[in-house]
């Protein structure tokens, strides 16, 4: 699959079709689940700081809401496409299902690059997105959250606009809100920590000690930052992280073979996960090409950036020592690369299981908001660990019993639950 032709939605459909065959899904349910139930594409006109008007393009896709309101983040990305949002919405349906929370799948996006937008312009995009979607989202039908390059402040602006339009307080409309404004403690760490909970379980099943393992990580955004922290806290070593360099418009890998310190790196990282090269060199990091993270002689690889990163072109660069790939990002591995990984016997924790910690904690945020009673951080993270560990065990048990690839086993569980909900409701 060459990079230009890559279409994440075709990839999501190919993954689904494979499993639909395995579980013998009937034609109507297949039709229903391989496409979104509803989708919106709209214009967001914004008055820029220099007085000009600029029109941004926004999207929301609700893939399936048979098990509960659609749920999923809103991304700000210069290369956002409707097909990317369709794929991500589809993966959200499987994600909420595999961890067994009562939510469906949705995703949103705006074609924009927040690196080049003032706070005021970003606020206008958030409010404009809500003005277009206010009638079609809400606590009982579709609940947004942060994703790539969006954060709790964006969520609060969106909530405020929604509440202005609907005339009331609706904290259940959106998750990933700031703590103290309806947000949950632990939500920021949840995706990265959730990833490491599943990595810990996988290594245990494989008879490996996390404390003896070294990891190389792609990305240094929200997921990676907290995954690296917990991996180290559990005794492991992380030698590489990579990130996008806005100035050079390429990625770099930052390596310290003695083990990197995420707090030290955070001090020289911008809000989008971009690390300052010159300062990193001064702190003793090697600055290597973007792809270097994948070639490292480590036991654990954690792609935690964006989709389409482990492909037919670079999969053979994965070192023979690698035992485990934990997908912190959504859709990082193409089906072509997946085949090679499966043949090589590398254990994969598939994306919609590995990174389900974020949405699981979003669900806890909804529960706390509904009770208007907020839990301590340890309680949130303890419950998150229980959920992630249970979901991981269910998938790995099935994979072992039916000799399935981990991704396929996760799909079997997730798709079966959603198909049953659609059938039980009389939709198909
Ligand atoms: N954007 C995150 C994801 O891809 C979280 C979604 C949510 O919390 O609704 O899973």
């Amino acid at each position: 699959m060459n990079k230009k032709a890559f279409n994440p939605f075709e990839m999501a459909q190919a993954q689904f079709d494979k499993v639909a065959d395995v579980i013998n899904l009937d034609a109507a349910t297949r039709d229903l689940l391989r496409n979104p139930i509803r989708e919106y594409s709209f214009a967001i006109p914004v008055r820029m700081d220099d007085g000009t008007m600029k029109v941004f393009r926004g999207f929301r896709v609700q893939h399936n809401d048979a098990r509960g309101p659609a749920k999923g983040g809103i991304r700000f990305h210069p290369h956002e496409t409707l097909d990317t949002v369709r794929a991500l919405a589809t993966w959200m349906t499987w994600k909420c299902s595999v961890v067994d929370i009562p939510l469906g799948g949705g995703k949103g996006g705006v074609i924009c690059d927040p690196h080049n937008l003032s706070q005021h312009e970003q606020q206008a995009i958030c409010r404009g997105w809500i003005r277009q979607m206010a009638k079609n989202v809400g606590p009982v039908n579709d609940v947004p959250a942060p994703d790539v390059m969006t954060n709790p402040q964006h969520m609060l602006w969106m909530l405020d606009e929604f509440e202005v339009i609907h005339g009331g307080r609706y904290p259940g409309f959106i998750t990933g809100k700031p703590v103290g404004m309806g947000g949950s403690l632990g939500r920021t760490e949840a995706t990265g920590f959730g990833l490491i909970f599943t990595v810990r379980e996988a290594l245990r099943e494989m008879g490996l000690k996390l404390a003896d393992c070294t990891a190389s990580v792609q990305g240094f955004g929200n997921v990676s930052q907290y995954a690296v922290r917990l991996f180290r806290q559990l005794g492991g070593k992380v030698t590489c992280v990579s990130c996008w360099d806005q100035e050079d418009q390429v990625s770099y890998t930052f390596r310290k073979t003695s083990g990197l310190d995420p707090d030290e790196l955070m001090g020289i990282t911008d809000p989008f996960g971009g690390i300052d090269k010159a300062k990193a060199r001064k702190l003793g990091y090697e600055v290597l090409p973007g792809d270097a993270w994948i070639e490292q002689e480590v036991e654990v690889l954690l792609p935690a950036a964006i989709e389409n990163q482990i492909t037919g072109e670079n999969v053979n660069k994965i070192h023979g020592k690698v035992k485990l790939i934990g997908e912190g990002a959504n859709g990082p591995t193409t089906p072509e690369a997946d085949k090679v990984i499966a043949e090589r016997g590398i254990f994969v924790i598939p994306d919609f299981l590995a990174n389900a910690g974020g949405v699981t904690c979003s669900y806890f945020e909804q529960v706390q908001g509904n009770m208007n009673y907020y839990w301590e951080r340890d309680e949130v993270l303890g419950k998150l660990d229980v959920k992630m560990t249970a979901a991981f065990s269910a998938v790995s048990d099935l994979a072992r019993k039916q000799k399935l690839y981990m991704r396929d086993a996760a799909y079997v569980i997730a798709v079966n639950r959603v198909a049953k909900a659609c059938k039980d409701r009389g939709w198909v």
Side-chain angles (χ1 to χ4, degrees):
M1 206 182 283
N2 96 33
K3 260 204 165 165
K4 262 195 211 115
F6 174 73
N7 181 326
F9 187 48
E10 284 171 12
M11 169 170 150
Q13 288 187 317
Q15 292 170 339
F16 169 77
D17 290 343
K18 186 176 169 203
V19 171
D21 287 341
V22 172
I23 62 175
N24 252 320
L25 207 59
D26 63 277
T29 310
R30 228 179 247 242
D31 252 12
L32 184 70
L33 295 182
R34 77 192 300 282
N35 288 295
I37 268 192
R38 272 169 245 107
E39 43 189 57
Y40 306 87
S41 167
F42 45 89
I44 307 174
V46 168
R47 171 84 59 203
M48 305 299 280
D49 290 354
D50 65 2
T52 58
M53 286 302 288
K54 195 166 170 191
V55 180
F56 293 89
R57 203 73 223 159
F59 309 105
R60 184 71 180 174
V61 173
Q62 295 162 355
H63 172 261
N64 190 281
D65 54 5
R67 286 173 43 85
K71 185 86 192 77
I74 299 174
R75 309 204 312 175
F76 285 175
H77 202 277
H79 304 136
E80 196 65 295
T81 66
L82 183 52
D83 269 342
T84 311
V85 181
R86 285 180 176 133
L88 292 160
T90 309
W91 289 325
M92 283 309 301
T93 302
W94 314 138
K95 192 181 298 191
C96 294
S97 176
V98 83
V99 284
D100 205 9
I101 56 179
L103 295 164
K107 201 72 153 205
V110 179
I111 306 174
C112 71
D113 189 348
H115 287 98
N116 309 322
L117 295 166
S118 70
Q119 288 296 301
H120 174 260
E121 290 162 344
Q122 291 180 41
Q123 178 172 171
I125 292 177
C126 289
R127 292 187 185 275
W129 194 99
I130 295 297
R131 279 201 290 277
Q132 292 291 351
M133 284 301 298
K135 298 287 185 291
N136 306 105
V137 291
V140 294
N141 45 18
D142 183 2
V143 182
D147 202 283
V148 172
M149 289 204 270
T150 52
N151 60 40
Q153 174 65 75
H154 294 124
M155 300 304 108
L156 189 55
W157 286 327
M158 289 184 167
L159 175 68
D160 187 67
E161 190 67 23
F162 185 88
E163 292 182 337
V164 167
I165 292 169
H166 288 283
R169 291 286 175 249
Y170 297 93
F173 158 59
I174 206 160
T175 60
K177 299 181 288 297
V179 171
M181 290 299 293
S184 172
L185 289 168
R187 176 65 183 83
T188 310
E189 305 91 304
T191 315
F193 277 22
L195 170 64
I196 301 305
F197 294 149
T198 64
V199 166
R200 179 197 64 204
E201 291 306 301
L203 290 173
R204 200 177 47 75
E205 284 190 2
M206 293 162 81
L208 295 169
K209 277 209 187 83
L210 195 152
D212 296 338
C213 290
T214 301
S216 174
V217 185
Q218 187 191 33
F220 199 55
N222 175 260
V223 180
S224 165
Q225 287 168 11
Y226 288 98
V228 170
R229 277 210 179 112
L230 187 58
F231 195 81
R232 274 174 39 110
Q233 266 172 37
L234 297 179
K237 181 165 95 170
V238 180
T239 52
C240 285
V241 294
S242 77
C243 69
W244 180 250
D245 189 276
Q246 185 65 10
E247 208 175 48
D248 297 355
Q249 292 286 300
V250 289
S251 301
Y252 293 108
T253 298
F254 295 79
R255 182 169 72 181
K256 202 180 245 184
T257 41
S258 58
L260 60 81
D261 173 355
D263 293 318
E264 176 183 80
L265 278 178
M266 284 295 290
I268 56 166
T269 301
D270 71 25
F272 307 103
I275 300 169
D276 186 312
K277 292 191 294 294
K279 289 183 183 160
R281 283 199 184 97
K282 273 195 198 133
L283 290 170
Y285 289 84
E286 296 169 84
V287 181
L288 306 169
D291 236 13
W293 73 275
I294 206 175
E295 318 170 341
Q296 302 302 309
E297 193 179 338
V298 293
E299 288 80 14
V300 177
L301 286 182
L302 302 176
I306 53 170
E307 63 280 357
N308 192 28
Q309 297 303 308
I310 305 182
T311 67
E313 277 158 41
N314 65 9
V315 65
N316 287 314
K317 292 186 181 170
I318 295 177
H319 197 276
K321 196 174 170 188
V322 171
K323 303 270 185 314
L324 169 69
I325 299 177
E327 296 181 330
N330 292 310
T333 309
T334 66
E336 200 182 342
D338 234 4
K339 256 177 108 177
V340 177
I341 291 168
E343 276 161 20
R344 281 179 56 178
I346 300 173
F347 191 91
V348 171
I349 313 173
D351 52 359
F352 65 87
L353 169 64
N355 69 33
V359 75
T360 302
C361 195
S362 279
Y363 164 60
F364 295 155
E365 181 176 330
Q366 288 186 310
V367 172
Q368 294 169 78
N370 289 342
M371 293 189 298
N372 201 16
Y373 173 70
Y374 287 84
W375 309 332
E376 297 304 322
R377 179 174 178 271
D378 284 353
E379 186 172 357
V380 175
L381 294 174
K383 285 183 159 70
L384 181 67
D385 195 348
V386 170
K387 264 299 200 197
M388 295 300 295
T389 300
F392 174 86
S393 300
V395 172
S396 87
D397 279 356
L398 185 74
R400 231 186 343 266
K401 279 188 196 126
Q402 297 195 7
K403 297 200 170 23
L404 290 169
Y405 185 48
M406 274 293 280
R407 190 182 314 282
D408 297 339
Y411 262 107
V412 166
I413 292 177
V415 174
N416 267 328
R417 283 186 186 144
V418 179
K420 180 173 184 320
C422 294
K423 277 187 210 304
D424 288 353
R425 283 178 180 274
W427 288 0
V428 277

